[in-house]
Amino acid sequence: MRGTVLVVGTVLTGLGLAMILWRELSGARERRRVGAVRDVVEVLLPLVAAVVLVVWVWVS
Amino acid sequence: MTSPSVRITNPRTDVSVVKTYVELMKLRIVELLLITTLPAMVAAARGWPGWWLAFATLVGGTLSSAGANAINQAIDIDIDRVMSRTRRRPLPTDRVSRRAVVVFGSALGGAGFAWLWATTNLLAATLSLTGLLLYVFVYSLLLKRTTTQNIVIGGAAGAMPALVGWAAVTNSVALPAWVMFAIVFFWTPPHFWALAVRYRKDYERAGVPMLPVVVGERRAMDHMVAYTVTLIGMTLLLYATGAVGWLYLVAAATAGIAFLAGTWSLRDHPEAAMRYFTYSNVYLSVVFIAIAVDVLVLG
């Protein structure tokens, strides 16, 4: 049961993160109010942290 | 005969002064932060953590969060003056000085740190102080006025109580605590963007680049859907860590489906933004109460 939920949770999280990344990047020109480097860091930081967390759940 | 002139500029009673300072603490927001702290403690303890530890942690968390809220109002006084939602707060209405608010907020934050260190442990105290510093320096001063990612990154401050609760019990921060942190983190953007949809004109006037102000409501709501999908995934991952059981899973999955439906439907009904905002509070409460109930009932 936990294994199935782990897979479903991972798929949903991955899908959501991909949607966030796509939304942020596709609308970056309109959305961006700061420098490009800072914007990329601000967008990627939480997403990378979330990926690390998902990997941690799998490893544990 | 002329009577001596008497200037009554700002008549204040002791009660009104106390009310003003209580208002600065924004206890309704603190209440939500505490709703995430206690279930994290229950999950960490694998049962009731004890009345004293629960009380001590909630008091410390309240002091820290209230301190952050007060300092934030001292920073945002110009924004609060022009927004209809906030212009009746103590600072815009000149009921208290900015300096007094900074001193008050700092004292609360310092007291929260000292209290948590004395009654729980240094890690919990440090995490709580980190939440305050993130809110003040990263969210309020660095991000709020400059970037549409303000509430995304700033959400880390509001997610800290889950770590504080766990650390207060175990003097460590394990994987389930980080997943709870992530749940609050990914819940925050849809929650606050709903508020920004409702008060879009206000934020626009104040020059705060909330996402719905910058990219429009419809596109902001597409972002909200993406964050909600991630959030639901995270709530399922908490079950996968083994920290909670089937009772939590059923509650989180059901509430998650309802929350996603609400987010989706908001795209066609932006006028329901405040109802959605309220429901998002209920959603987070349901998820965290389910954590506590699950652990207490199933062990």
Side-chain angles (χ1 to χ4, degrees):
Chain A
M1 177 69 169
R2 289 201 194 270
T4 309
V5 175
L6 174 60
V7 172
V8 175
T10 303
V11 168
L12 279 174
T13 304
L15 178 67
L17 293 175
M19 286 166 70
I20 293 170
L21 187 62
W22 178 66
R23 287 271 160 219
E24 300 289 4
L25 293 183
S26 65
R29 189 169 296 178
E30 189 189 349
R31 176 187 52 74
R32 193 150 56 85
R33 290 290 182 274
V34 293
V37 174
R38 180 177 157 183
D39 186 60
V40 167
V41 171
E42 285 180 358
V43 168
L44 290 185
L45 193 66
L47 305 187
V48 171
V51 170
V52 170
L53 188 60
V54 174
V55 171
W56 189 4
V57 174
W58 274 89
V59 170
S60 74
Chain B
M1 187 178 144
T2 57
S3 60
S5 66
V6 178
R7 281 180 64 222
I8 303 174
T9 51
N10 192 8
R12 285 183 291 186
T13 62
D14 289 347
V15 174
S16 73
V17 169
V18 170
K19 274 177 73 178
T20 295
Y21 279 90
V22 170
E23 210 177 313
L24 284 165
M25 295 162 78
K26 288 163 73 173
L27 291 175
R28 287 196 69 183
I29 294 178
V30 173
E31 189 184 314
L32 198 67
L33 297 174
L34 298 182
I35 271 179
T36 60
T37 307
L38 195 55
M41 296 181 75
V42 170
R46 304 295 312 155
W48 185 246
W51 287 103
W52 167 248
L53 187 59
F55 171 76
T57 309
L58 295 184
V59 168
T62 301
L63 290 170
S64 294
S65 305
N69 287 335
I71 298 170
N72 171 259
Q73 288 174 73
I75 295 166
D76 284 348
I77 184 169
D78 56 329
I79 293 174
D80 287 351
R81 274 192 211 284
V82 297
M83 291 184 67
S84 59
R85 190 173 68 89
T86 54
R87 67 179 171 217
R88 287 181 198 85
R89 284 180 178 171
L91 275 163
T93 49
D94 295 323
R95 277 182 279 155
V96 63
S97 75
R98 198 173 194 174
R99 182 188 159 84
V101 174
V102 173
V103 170
F104 177 61
S106 305
L108 285 176
F113 176 79
W115 171 266
L116 281 172
W117 191 3
T119 59
T120 62
N121 55 61
L122 180 58
L123 179 62
T126 305
L127 288 168
S128 189
L129 182 63
T130 303
L132 182 148
L133 297 175
L134 276 173
Y135 192 58
V136 170
F137 290 99
V138 178
Y139 171 67
S140 297
L141 289 172
L142 181 68
L143 302 172
K144 184 168 181 177
R145 297 160 192 258
T146 57
T147 171
T148 52
Q149 293 296 102
N150 50 14
I151 204 63
V152 178
I153 313 263
M160 292 303 284
L163 300 184
V164 173
W166 190 282
V169 174
T170 64
N171 199 14
S172 66
V173 182
L175 175 61
W178 284 110
V179 179
M180 285 182 228
F181 174 93
I183 289 171
V184 182
F185 183 86
F186 283 101
W187 164 87
T188 304
H191 174 71
F192 278 103
W193 285 334
L195 195 69
V197 166
R198 168 64 181 82
Y199 293 101
R200 189 179 161 189
K201 292 269 187 291
D202 259 8
Y203 281 110
E204 206 168 350
R205 205 164 41 237
V208 180
M210 295 298 280
L211 192 67
V213 174
V214 176
V215 303
E217 289 174 1
R218 179 70 183 211
R219 288 186 59 189
M221 286 168 192
D222 288 340
H223 280 73
M224 289 165 71
V225 170
Y227 277 90
T228 306
V229 171
T230 312
L231 165 65
I232 295 169
M234 285 293 175
T235 60
L236 298 184
L237 288 177
L238 182 63
Y239 172 81
T241 65
V244 283
W246 64 267
L247 210 57
Y248 161 82
L249 180 64
V250 171
T254 309
I257 290 167
F259 192 47
L260 182 60
T263 312
W264 188 265
S265 121
L266 194 61
R267 296 160 80 248
D268 297 318
H269 301 283
E271 73 280 0
M274 279 317 283
R275 206 165 56 220
Y276 174 87
F277 177 80
T278 306
Y279 176 66
S280 68
N281 283 332
V282 174
Y283 166 77
L284 192 70
S285 303
V286 166
V287 169
F288 274 85
I289 289 170
I291 292 171
V293 170
D294 181 287
V295 172
L296 291 172
V297 171
L298 300 181

